[in-house]
Amino acid sequence: QVQFVESGGGLVQPGGSLRLSCAASGSFSRFSNMAWYRQAPGKQRELVASIRSGGDTNYLDSVKGRFTISRDNAKSTVSLQMNSLEPEDTAVYYCNFLPPRPDKWGQGSQVTVSA
């Protein structure tokens, strides 16, 4: 049973960068579509970025040009490079399959963008 562990979050000033990593405790198939999601205080969880098995990527409009999702199938990891961070990006970030499986939500990684 694969479980995901997110890391790399923290406190950063507006305009800064962070790189989130998602490690699978087991391996995930190279055919799995993967994604990063986030949940800000008082808001519903939303899809931020996805990467399909063939490498096609999609992004939430508000992060296009700033965030980049990537995957390493050999290491069973999914990463999210976040540049030009804005206060509105403050949230807990999670990785999961696309579509998400309810039993695969991890603890997430807190990202706080503040001066």
Side-chain angles (χ1 to χ4, degrees):
Q1 291 282 343
V2 64
Q3 295 295 326
F4 300 117
V5 179
E6 302 90 349
S7 63
L11 173 63
V12 63
Q13 292 186 342
S17 298
L18 285 173
R19 185 177 180 85
L20 302 182
S21 294
C22 172
S25 59
S27 62
F28 59 77
S29 169
R30 62 188 177 93
F31 299 109
S32 297
N33 299 324
M34 302 297 300
W36 281 95
Y37 304 81
R38 69 185 181 188
Q39 186 167 22
K43 296 186 177 181
Q44 291 197 350
R45 192 172 292 167
E46 64 180 351
L47 174 63
V48 176
S50 63
I51 183 165
R52 297 189 177 274
S53 59
D56 290 345
T57 58
N58 280 286
Y59 298 92
L60 183 68
D61 283 347
S62 62
V63 308
K64 283 181 180 177
R66 300 189 297 121
F67 290 12
T68 302
I69 188 172
S70 60
R71 64 190 291 163
D72 185 332
N73 292 328
K75 296 181 179 179
S76 292
T77 59
V78 182
S79 298
L80 185 68
Q81 177 66 43
M82 306 185 294
N83 299 327
S84 302
L85 283 161
E86 304 170 353
E88 294 73 23
D89 297 318
T90 294
V92 180
Y93 285 71
Y94 304 85
C95 68
N96 202 324
F97 295 104
L98 176 73
R101 301 182 189 175
D103 62 333
K104 299 303 180 186
W105 294 113
Q107 295 299 309
S109 185
Q110 175 70 50
V111 172
T112 303
V113 185
S114 176

